[in-house]
Amino acid sequence: MKHLVILFCMMALAFAGCSGSQSGNNELSLKIDNGKAEAWINVMPGSMQTFFVTGSINIENYGDSTVNSIKIMKCLVYQNKLIKYNIIPDLKDSLGSELFLEPGQLKKGLFTSKGVELKNEFNTDKPVDLMIYFESSKMIKQVLIPGVIITKAH
């Protein structure tokens, strides 16, 4: 019985060691320019102060297969190298449709977030950096848009 247990453990280790793993590149084959972004705060009287980001970005598929359903999985908003917000803007093509790219194709993507409540420790007079994570078919591409000036909508 002892030999059977040892044999079973050795087989389990052998199968675990031979199991498939993803050691390859998990990055989307997209070339994304740093784009243009705006950050703004709604400070209109009678409403809750909320923070928004919006912008446009050029995306080119340099791979040899179609990239479908490109979405923003998260957008980290940094100020003074600290994460202030983790938001998920909506991403569409210039016609308002879901974004996809054929091989070699270049499109403009437009993104906008829903407003999030303004945090007390957030300095509305200092710019922010946006680290945007694009996702399609469990593959990711990240892009930094630095120095986004915050405007106030009165």
Side-chain angles (χ1 to χ4, degrees):
M1 179 69 174
K2 186 177 179 182
H3 294 290
L4 189 58
V5 170
I6 292 172
L7 180 63
F8 179 73
C9 288
M10 289 174 57
M11 287 177 53
L13 286 173
F15 283 121
C18 295
S19 66
S21 64
Q22 210 173 18
S23 61
N25 186 354
N26 196 31
E27 185 173 286
L28 283 168
S29 56
L30 298 176
K31 179 181 176 188
I32 302 176
D33 73 11
N34 287 353
K36 292 177 22 178
E38 296 178 24
W40 55 281
I41 298 168
N42 177 4
V43 292
M44 297 181 87
S47 64
M48 178 175 62
Q49 292 190 353
T50 47
F51 174 76
F52 298 83
V53 295
T54 187
S56 64
I57 200 153
N58 292 319
I59 305 173
E60 182 179 1
N61 180 356
Y62 64 82
D64 49 7
S65 61
T66 301
V67 180
N68 291 306
S69 302
I70 304 169
K71 297 187 180 344
I72 295 177
M73 63 183 289
K74 67 181 169 181
C75 173
L76 300 178
V77 179
Y78 287 88
Q79 194 173 57
N80 299 325
K81 299 183 181 179
L82 298 173
I83 297 173
K84 297 297 183 172
Y85 294 100
N86 180 357
I87 56 179
I88 305 173
D90 189 37
L91 177 67
K92 300 287 184 194
D93 68 14
S94 58
L95 298 174
S97 300
E98 187 174 84
L99 191 59
F100 71 92
L101 293 165
E102 299 290 336
Q105 189 174 27
L106 171 70
K107 283 187 180 179
K108 180 173 284 223
L110 305 172
F111 62 90
T112 186
S113 72
K114 294 182 176 156
V116 292
E117 186 175 352
L118 194 62
K119 296 180 178 181
N120 289 335
E121 70 273 9
F122 190 69
N123 187 340
T124 60
D125 296 321
K126 290 195 173 189
V128 294
D129 298 324
L130 305 179
M131 180 63 77
I132 303 175
Y133 294 81
F134 296 88
E135 188 266 334
S136 175
S137 302
K138 298 184 182 179
M139 296 183 75
I140 299 168
K141 178 79 170 190
Q142 66 185 43
V143 171
L144 174 67
I145 302 177
V148 179
I149 305 296
I150 301 170
T151 52
K152 297 172 185 149
H154 296 276

